[in-house]
Amino acid sequence: MSKRAATRPTSAVVIALDTKFTTTRRSLLKGGVAAAAMMLFAGPLHAADDSLLRQPWANWDYSKDKPVRGGILRVASSQYIGKLNPNHWPVLDWISMGYFHEKLVITDGSFKPTTPWLLEEIRQENETSYITKLRPDIKFHDGTKLTAATIKSQIEWIRDPKNKAWTVAWLEPLESVEVIDELALRWKTKQPWAGFLGIIANVPGYMLSQEALAQDPERYETSAPKGTGAFVLEEANPGNFLKLTRNPDWWFAKASGNPEMPYFDGVLVSIIPDPAVRLANLRANKLDMLSLDKSQYAIVKSDPQFKVFRQPLNHVVGIRFNTQKGALKDVRIRQAINHAIDRRALIAGTQFGLGRIASAMYPEDHWAHNPALQPATYDPALSKKLLAEAGYPGGLTIKGYWSNTTEGQALAEAVKDMLGKVGINWQVELLAPVASAGKMKDGDYDMAQGGYTFIYDPDLLATGLYHPAGGFNFGRSNNPQAIALIEAGRRETDIDKRQKIYWELEKVLTEAHEDAWLWWEEGAVAMRKNVMGWDNEKWKKDKESYSLSHPLWFKEGKQS
C-alpha cells in the first residue's frame, strides 16, 4: 500500500489508482500492473473481494490476440433508442446509449460500483463528503474537455426543475457540488449516503457535453448527443437506425496504450421489431451480432455459423402483491400463491429454459443477495391447506393485470392455470403499459405483474418497491421491519455491514411473502464466427468492467 493511501483516515472509502504504480496511465493499463482499487472502512484495511484490488483490464495483453482495425459492426434492436439524453424519458435502448455516453464509475461482476472509469479516484472525507478526481485529458466528441466544472454543471442541470430530468430524484440526498480544481470535485450530502457510488455508476453518472447541451437541448436529445464514448453518433433516424462512427480521440485507447481502439470503423444499429426478421437478417449475413429472442436460443446455439453465449442478466421477474387491502392482506393467502406456482415449469414452458429460479429480489450474482435463501417450493397441497386456514376452503377470486404482449399473455395464462388448480380464480386483465401504470398507481389489483430491471445499487429496488416514498409502491406495501432496514441500508457506508442489512431485508420480505419472485433473467447472444475478442466467462466475472474495456473486432478487419 502506498504512503498516500496509508495516511488517509480509516473512516474513508477509497477507490483509487495507487501512486506507487502510476508512472503513466499507459504503463499502468498495458504493463500488467494491477490498479490498487481499495476500500478503507472504519477499522483495519481489508480486501475480501478480489475485484477491489485491481482493474479488470489491467492484466489483459491487448496485443496477444492481434486485434485488427476495420469494418462496420451491424447489430439490431427491437426498439428505437428514444431520447439521446439519458436524463430524459423514454430511453429504450441502453446498450446503444453506451456507445457514445460513458459514466464516471462502472460496476464489477457483482454489480458493486468499484471501478473508476472517467474518474481516477474517489475518496470519502467524512460521512457526508466525497472527493472525486477525473482522469486527465478526456474530451467530448465536440472537442470540449471533461472537467470538474462540467460535472458540477451537469448535476445542477439535472436538479433544475425546468429541465424535467427523470433522474433528479436519485440526487435528492445531495446537498452541493463544489469545484476544487480542474479535475477535482467535492460532493456534500445531506446525510450519510451509502448509495452515492451506485448513483454515479448509473444514469446520473453519464457525462454529457454541457456546451452542446446548452447550445441546443432539443437537438442534443434527438440527433446530436456529445459524449466521451468510443463511438460518435453520425446519424439518428427514428424508428429505422442509428449510425455511429469511430471516435479517433477515445481516452481509453490512449490510456491503455492501444491507439487503434475502438477497432470497428463504426456501428450500425438497425431497428427491427420482429424477432424472426432479426434472426433472418443474422442468417443472411446482414447482421454480425444479435441478442436472441428466447424462443430462438435452442435453434441457433448449434448453428455452425455462430458463436452463441448464454448470459445471466440483472433483472428479476415476479408477481406484485397488494398487501394493504383485499384478500392478500392475509400473509397466508400470499404464501398460498407462492407455493401454487411451479417456477421450473414456467421457465421451461414460457422462457424456453432461459431463467434462474429466484429465491429473492436481488439476483444470485448480486452482492446484496442473501445466499442462504431458498426459492418457494411448488406445493399445491400446502397452498390448499393455507387457503382453508385463511377461511377460504372452497377457494377465492382475486383480480389483477399483466402486460398484453404475446409473452405476457402466455405467462399470465400459465400462472392463472396454476392458481386455478388450488382454488384461486385470478381474474387477470391484459393491459398496455399506460393502463397498467394507472392500475398500479390506484392500487386497483390484488396481484399483478411485478419484477425489476437493471438492478445495480440495491436501494433503488428496495425503496422503489417497499418504502412508502418509493416510486412503485403507491401504498401497496407497508412492512415496518423492511422500511427500517431500507433506511439503515441508505445510511451504512461500510460495504460489509451494508451487505448484511440487505441480506436481512431479503429474509424479512421473503418470510412476509411481500411478493412472489419467479426467476432471474437470462439472455443469449449470437455472434458471427469472425467477430473476435469476446470471452464469456471473463464477462461473467467482471460484466460491465469487462465489456467496456475489451472492444471487439473482425478477424480480418471486415465483415465475413
Side-chain angles (χ1 to χ4, degrees):
M1 180 169 63
S2 71
K3 290 181 180 178
R4 183 182 70 171
T7 57
R8 288 184 177 134
T10 55
S11 63
V13 176
V14 179
I15 305 176
L17 302 182
D18 198 322
T19 54
K20 184 166 84 175
F21 299 135
T22 53
T23 52
T24 68
R25 287 174 293 144
R26 175 170 176 156
S27 65
L28 171 69
L29 295 171
K30 189 178 181 183
V33 180
M38 298 177 293
M39 277 191 156
L40 276 67
F41 300 104
L45 173 69
H46 66 94
D49 187 339
D50 176 63
S51 70
L52 300 177
L53 296 177
R54 55 153 180 78
Q55 304 292 6
W57 57 82
N59 292 313
W60 198 64
D61 184 352
Y62 289 89
S63 63
K64 180 180 66 175
D65 296 315
K66 296 181 174 55
V68 182
R69 268 283 312 281
I72 304 295
L73 180 70
R74 303 162 302 175
V75 297
S77 177
S78 62
Q79 300 181 91
Y80 182 69
I81 187 172
K83 303 294 186 183
L84 303 177
N85 179 340
N87 300 286
H88 279 169
W89 198 256
V91 177
L92 304 174
D93 179 1
W94 289 100
I95 294 174
S96 290
M97 183 67 72
Y99 286 131
F100 45 89
H101 283 134
E102 295 179 299
K103 294 178 290 188
L104 295 172
V105 176
I106 56 178
T107 55
D108 65 15
S110 65
F111 305 103
K112 290 178 184 173
T114 59
T115 307
W117 189 246
L118 297 176
L119 291 180
E120 184 175 74
E121 180 180 335
I122 304 166
R123 175 164 57 89
Q124 186 172 355
E125 288 187 303
N126 53 56
E127 284 191 334
T128 58
S129 179
Y130 292 83
I131 300 290
T132 62
K133 182 180 177 183
L134 282 163
R135 300 181 189 275
D137 305 321
I138 299 177
K139 292 183 179 180
F140 289 103
H141 298 155
D142 59 5
T144 59
K145 288 187 67 174
L146 172 60
T147 66
T150 309
I151 300 176
K152 176 179 171 63
S153 177
Q154 178 166 319
I155 295 302
E156 290 175 346
W157 185 94
I158 293 173
R159 300 177 79 187
D160 188 337
K162 74 179 183 184
N163 294 319
K164 299 179 181 179
W166 70 272
T167 46
V168 63
W170 292 9
L171 298 176
E172 193 279 332
L174 187 65
E175 182 176 293
S176 64
V177 184
E178 303 170 359
V179 173
I180 298 173
D181 58 35
E182 185 180 49
L183 300 177
L185 202 66
R186 175 176 286 108
W187 308 68
K188 291 186 176 180
T189 65
K190 299 172 185 175
Q191 62 269 330
W193 185 17
F196 170 72
L197 292 179
I199 293 301
I200 63 172
N202 212 303
V203 181
Y206 277 115
M207 288 294 101
L208 288 61
S209 166
Q210 293 303 290
E211 185 172 310
L213 187 61
Q215 285 178 353
D216 194 336
E218 179 66 23
R219 186 166 178 264
Y220 192 105
E221 73 175 35
T222 58
S223 61
K226 303 297 179 184
T228 61
F231 295 93
V232 181
L233 184 64
E234 180 180 328
E235 185 179 358
N237 191 316
N240 294 307
F241 64 82
L242 289 177
K243 184 178 181 182
L244 304 107
T245 57
R246 176 180 178 271
N247 178 7
D249 200 29
W250 189 33
W251 69 271
F252 185 77
K254 299 174 183 179
S256 64
N258 294 273
E260 294 296 296
M261 290 184 184
Y263 301 114
F264 297 124
D265 290 332
V267 179
L268 177 63
V269 183
S270 298
I271 312 306
I272 307 175
D274 190 322
V277 177
R278 291 198 298 271
L279 181 57
N281 274 267
L282 180 70
R283 286 177 158 163
N285 197 17
K286 295 180 179 179
L287 297 174
D288 303 298
M289 189 164 66
L290 179 64
S291 293
L292 297 170
D293 187 84
K294 289 187 177 185
S295 64
Q296 298 166 343
Y297 172 65
I299 303 168
V300 179
K301 68 178 181 180
S302 57
D303 191 318
Q305 296 183 83
F306 310 119
K307 296 179 282 190
V308 180
F309 304 106
R310 186 167 174 166
Q311 299 177 330
L313 304 176
N314 62 335
H315 314 322
V316 63
V317 176
I319 295 174
R320 181 191 311 271
F321 291 153
N322 190 337
T323 69
Q324 296 303 295
K325 65 180 183 181
L328 271 68
K329 288 177 66 176
D330 191 325
V331 66
R332 293 169 296 185
I333 304 298
R334 305 196 298 269
Q335 186 178 359
I337 292 171
N338 250 316
H339 289 294
I341 296 171
D342 187 342
R343 290 156 172 80
R344 194 174 304 278
L346 286 177
I347 293 171
T350 69
Q351 305 301 303
F352 301 89
L354 288 174
R356 301 161 288 160
I357 295 177
S359 58
M361 57 187 178
Y362 300 122
E364 61 185 348
D365 49 355
H366 195 288
W367 67 269
H369 174 62
N370 186 339
L373 298 177
Q374 298 297 318
T377 57
Y378 175 52
D379 192 339
L382 177 57
S383 293
K384 292 177 181 178
K385 179 174 179 292
L386 288 164
L387 289 173
E389 290 176 358
Y392 297 97
L396 79 160
T397 296
I398 58 177
K399 65 180 181 179
Y401 60 85
W402 210 271
S403 65
N404 62 352
T405 63
T406 301
E407 181 182 335
Q409 180 175 351
L411 181 53
E413 289 298 328
V415 170
K416 179 180 174 67
D417 183 64
M418 290 174 183
L419 296 179
K421 291 178 180 177
V422 302
I424 299 173
N425 175 27
W426 182 35
Q427 296 179 342
V428 56
E429 295 182 83
L430 299 174
L431 302 175
V434 172
S436 295
K439 291 276 188 181
M440 179 173 65
K441 185 176 181 180
D442 295 338
D444 186 17
Y445 64 93
D446 295 304
M447 61 170 273
Q449 183 173 7
Y452 207 91
T453 58
F454 298 106
I455 302 169
Y456 289 100
D457 188 84
D459 178 56
L460 295 177
L461 183 161
T463 290
L465 295 182
Y466 301 108
H467 194 276
F472 304 100
N473 189 333
F474 298 111
R476 64 97 192 186
S477 174
N478 186 23
N479 185 314
Q481 192 177 358
I483 293 167
L485 288 165
I486 291 167
E487 293 176 351
R490 293 178 190 165
R491 297 188 298 268
E492 181 55 71
T493 57
D494 182 315
I495 194 71
D496 290 341
K497 292 179 180 178
R498 194 174 186 226
Q499 182 183 56
K500 296 300 190 296
I501 289 172
Y502 288 111
W503 284 12
E504 182 64 19
L505 175 62
E506 281 200 318
K507 182 173 180 287
V508 165
L509 293 171
T510 299
E511 290 177 349
H513 296 272
E514 290 284 326
D515 283 317
W517 300 110
L518 303 181
W519 63 82
W520 301 305
E521 283 279 32
E522 283 187 297
V525 174
M527 301 179 185
R528 301 197 71 79
K529 286 290 182 70
N530 70 319
V531 177
M532 310 301 291
W534 187 259
D535 185 319
N536 206 52
E537 293 308 308
K538 288 183 179 178
W539 175 82
K540 288 179 183 178
K541 183 178 180 183
D542 291 313
K543 297 190 177 71
E544 185 178 40
S545 298
Y546 175 85
S547 58
L548 288 180
S549 61
H550 291 69
L552 305 178
W553 67 89
F554 289 125
K555 187 174 183 179
E556 296 179 357
K558 58 185 178 181
Q559 285 89 357
S560 58

